[in-house]
Amino acid sequence: MLHKVHPVASYPARKTHADKSEYQRLYNWSVEDPEGFWAEQGKRLDWMTPYTKVKQTSFEKGKVDIKWFADGQLNASYNCIDRHVKKNPDATAIIWEGDDPAMDKTISYQQMHDEVCRLANAMKAKGVTKGDRVIIYMPMIPEAAFAMLACARIGAVHSVIFGGFSPNAIADRVEDCQAKMVITANFGRRGGNEVPLKSNVDKALERDNTGSIESVIVYKLLEDDTAMVADRDYWWHDVAGVCEPVCDPEPMNAEDPLFVLYTSGSTGKPKGVVHTTGGYLAYAAITHEYVFDYQPGDVYWCAADVGWITGHSYIVYGPFANGAISLMFEGVPTYPDVRRMAQVVDKHKVDILYTAPTAIRALMAKGDLPAQGTSRESLRLLGSVGEPINPEAWDWYHDKIGNSQCPIVDTWWQTETGGIMITPLPGATDLKPGSATLPFFGVKPALVDSNGSFLEGAVSGNLVITDSWPGQARTVWGDHDRFEQTYFSAYDNMYFTGDGARRDEDGYFWITGRVDDVLNVSGHRLGTAEIESSLVEHPAVAEAAVVGYPHDIKGQGIYVYVLPTDGTEITEELTKEVRQFVRDDLSPIASPDFIQWTPGLPKTRSGKIMRRILRKIAANEFDSLGDTSTLADPAVVDELIENRLNK
Ligand code: WT7
């Protein structure tokens, strides 16, 4: 396949943090002398106790242990706020753009300091102390960032839950990390709709295994007669409003947990990925600076939600550690209409825009309309994250949104990596649409075959990382075995990403997608096992198998095969009910696109479902089913093809 290359020189010249030779110099230094490189980079942060140790890491099976800057002490909130306040208290921290285009506001670092301190004091008054877990279930308002930073200030470990998640998802997470407090809002606003966040929390806390929660702080987003539980629920303005805007930052060890973020894997319930303080923050800061070429005064917009790792690292921690202006958008790119993204860019003179291929494809489907009536002249850099970006979407983003003036950084990374891992650097990397290009400083990617043997040259294989980087997750909350099992058991002494990739003749990486049972729907991770176990909880479902299939907008869609329980009458109503059941149980993102009822699933004689066959049928590619001779009952396949839904 021939791809157009966009050389560095084809973009308007501006002095970037790195050019080609600087990238090469820093990359070589970072992999040849990680101790020296990261000892230097750690100095981007202010330390209460300077570190003398830098890298102490082992990927060895049974002994996986990852520590960076282990004897240093610092506070993430201090690094994200106070040190900038000292220099310029009036500098803008957040530009907030409401769901309603008539609503916006600007928050300075000083204002952020005061709000964070007030809330931190209120949390302390409610008994939250260092090491306690706090759930944050908030809409995209500045208070979401304040809540994260207030936790960091007093050493509480936050776990942000995406506002689209269900009461069950909240309850599972509360139970898993034994959280003491929930911070929420009575409502959220998205795309003109009101989301009943507080009532979802109430439903979650009705479950009997959520007794660890002692208090709930509720931000009043809308006037409403919200039900408040006595001695448990408190209005934010009542408890924080009366507190002093000063709160000493808690000295934290570099390896103390900063947050837990739940993400889906190929088995079981979502796991709590643990990120710690020093390495994570240093890595978020350096990647934010180099990948987005952030320069003082730039308006930077990461259009993710704080409920995902992208929001943690690139709306909150990376930008604020760098004293940047971070634009926070409450709404969706298609409300009130598809021009919204471009309008926000013009309104706030956005320099840097970071969004996801699924959003780009949704806009691209509307042709020229999303750019209509806007100039987007302020833009000088675009970013993409979450899934592979197809060259067609890349071109549209580049030409229509970026006026063919802006490089695109296609950034590959994961919840577990904490920050960007494979990416171009503007001004330093020639671009190829669809390729995440080259590793960031300190990152050693490799391709291996199924036995773990290294593959050299231009080749496809499983993507692994052979040495540690500071932003790496340290463990799974309460289950270090699962951490080792999931990431370090496939291949000796390597972190396995779960992704497949191709490397071309220039050493560029092309991520091909997950090679495990993890789906990527609109850039969101879902485990097939997670959806299956939800499905079988419905009384009409005896057995379920879930696979992904290529979807024009979402990247992957969800195709469900279900076996009815005996005596079930299959109706359109029932199908709707099952779909709604999964939505309510997990989240709207997990809502199946197709639900095919079937009397049987293609199983081997030993009872293993042959997902390969189900994937092909879901993709409407049943001519190439491969060998079906090991099936217990090959006739099942004809039946499945006959009644397939994605025609
Ligand atoms: C999975 C991680 C990292 C923040 C958002 C997702 C896929 C992510 C890219 C990219 C191709 C990508 C991978 C990865 N992915 N970015 N630029 N090109 N694939 O975080 O929910 O932890 O998902 O997203 O498959 O494993 P996540």
Side-chain angles (χ1 to χ4, degrees), residues 163-327:
F165 279 167
S166 66
N168 270 340
I170 302 170
D172 283 349
R173 286 156 174 76
V174 167
E175 186 188 356
D176 187 77
C177 72
Q178 290 292 295
K180 204 173 197 179
M181 175 182 268
V182 179
I183 303 179
T184 188
N186 61 347
F187 287 96
R189 269 178 306 236
R190 259 185 127 228
N193 298 314
E194 288 171 10
V195 189
L197 297 176
K198 170 64 165 62
S199 95
N200 286 347
V201 170
D202 289 341
K203 284 183 201 147
L205 299 189
E206 276 161 24
R207 243 173 63 172
D208 54 8
N209 40 14
T210 55
S212 59
I213 295 293
E214 293 173 5
S215 45
V216 179
I217 294 185
V218 188
Y219 181 81
K220 190 181 278 183
L221 188 109
L222 296 173
E223 281 303 331
D224 168 84
D225 47 4
T226 306
M228 298 289 273
V229 175
D231 299 326
R232 188 198 74 181
D233 301 349
Y234 306 92
W235 289 111
W236 179 308
H237 59 263
D238 285 341
V239 290
V242 299
C243 287
E244 289 297 319
V246 177
C247 172
D248 285 340
E250 189 73 30
M252 302 299 286
N253 188 272
E255 285 301 334
D256 282 336
L258 179 61
F259 64 85
V260 178
L261 186 59
Y262 286 82
T263 192
S264 300
S266 47
T267 56
K269 286 194 172 171
K271 46 186 173 293
V273 169
V274 177
H275 283 286
T276 57
T277 309
Y280 169 81
L281 195 61
Y283 196 74
I286 185 177
T287 47
H288 176 260
E289 179 174 299
Y290 277 93
V291 176
F292 300 110
D293 186 42
Y294 190 85
Q295 307 208 12
D298 283 348
V299 176
Y300 157 87
W301 179 18
C302 166
D305 191 283
V306 289
W308 314 116
I309 190 70
T310 309
H312 283 61
S313 303
Y314 299 113
I315 294 177
V316 177
Y317 289 111
F320 293 151
N322 291 336
I325 303 172
S326 185
L327 191 149

Side-chain angles (χ1 to χ4, degrees), residues 551-562:
H551 186 288
D552 282 350
I553 307 272
K554 299 200 276 189
Q556 267 189 314
I558 302 173
Y559 197 113
V560 168
Y561 300 88
V562 273

Side-chain angles (χ1 to χ4, degrees), residues 310 386-388 410-415 499 511 514 520 525:
T310 309
E387 51 177 318
D410 174 3
T411 63
W412 174 86
W413 59 297
Q414 310 178 297
T415 304
D499 279 320
I511 310 296
R514 304 288 306 195
N520 190 330
R525 255 164 86 167

Side-chain angles (χ1 to χ4, degrees), residues 21-229:
S21 68
E22 179 68 353
Y23 165 74
Q24 210 51 60
R25 182 184 77 81
L26 288 171
Y27 183 74
N28 292 348
W29 177 19
S30 73
V31 294
E32 283 157 17
D33 172 23
E35 288 271 339
F37 178 82
W38 290 112
E40 186 60 30
Q41 295 306 329
K43 294 182 192 157
R44 307 173 158 265
L45 305 179
D46 282 11
W47 295 81
M48 293 161 158
T49 308
Y51 48 87
T52 63
K53 311 240 182 328
V54 178
K55 180 176 188 286
Q56 296 164 297
T57 66
S58 161
F59 283 5
E60 198 184 326
K61 231 176 252 180
K63 293 182 197 157
V64 175
D65 190 19
I66 300 153
K67 292 195 185 83
W68 286 87
F69 311 113
D71 59 351
Q73 282 190 311
L74 76 168
N75 181 282
S77 145
Y78 179 89
N79 274 282
C80 288
I81 306 173
D82 304 50
R83 59 183 184 144
H84 311 309
V85 171
K86 282 183 190 160
K87 276 194 216 145
N88 180 5
D90 299 330
T92 300
I94 299 178
I95 296 175
W96 178 77
E97 168 76 11
D99 188 49
D100 173 348
M103 288 171 78
D104 60 34
K105 63 180 158 188
T106 297
I107 288 155
S108 69
Y109 273 92
Q110 179 71 58
Q111 287 170 320
M112 181 152 86
H113 171 274
D114 295 355
E115 295 308 317
V116 166
C117 287
R118 284 199 176 94
L119 181 64
N121 284 327
M123 293 172 70
K124 276 193 193 168
K126 293 288 167 237
V128 176
T129 57
K130 184 171 176 168
D132 286 341
R133 275 78 58 209
V134 172
I135 298 284
I136 299 176
Y137 183 64
M138 292 283 278
M140 283 290 290
I141 55 176
E143 285 73 14
F146 300 163
M148 293 164 77
L149 293 166
C151 288
R153 196 155 192 99
I154 63 174
V157 180
H158 61 69
S159 186
V160 183
I161 301 178
F162 173 57
F165 279 167
S166 66
N168 270 340
I170 302 170
D172 283 349
R173 286 156 174 76
V174 167
E175 186 188 356
D176 187 77
C177 72
Q178 290 292 295
K180 204 173 197 179
M181 175 182 268
V182 179
I183 303 179
T184 188
N186 61 347
F187 287 96
R189 269 178 306 236
R190 259 185 127 228
N193 298 314
E194 288 171 10
V195 189
L197 297 176
K198 170 64 165 62
S199 95
N200 286 347
V201 170
D202 289 341
K203 284 183 201 147
L205 299 189
E206 276 161 24
R207 243 173 63 172
D208 54 8
N209 40 14
T210 55
S212 59
I213 295 293
E214 293 173 5
S215 45
V216 179
I217 294 185
V218 188
Y219 181 81
K220 190 181 278 183
L221 188 109
L222 296 173
E223 281 303 331
D224 168 84
D225 47 4
T226 306
M228 298 289 273
V229 175

Side-chain angles (χ1 to χ4, degrees), residues 261-264 308-311 314 354 357 384-389 409-420 422 434-436 463 495 497-500 510-516 518-520 523-526:
L261 186 59
Y262 286 82
T263 192
S264 300
W308 314 116
I309 190 70
T310 309
Y314 299 113
Y354 188 33
S384 171
V385 61
E387 51 177 318
I389 178 164
V409 289
D410 174 3
T411 63
W412 174 86
W413 59 297
Q414 310 178 297
T415 304
E416 296 86 342
T417 69
I420 293 165
I422 301 183
S435 171
L463 180 64
Y495 167 81
T497 64
D499 279 320
W510 300 73
I511 310 296
T512 46
R514 304 288 306 195
V515 294
D516 52 11
V518 171
L519 306 182
N520 190 330
H524 302 306
R525 255 164 86 167
L526 292 164

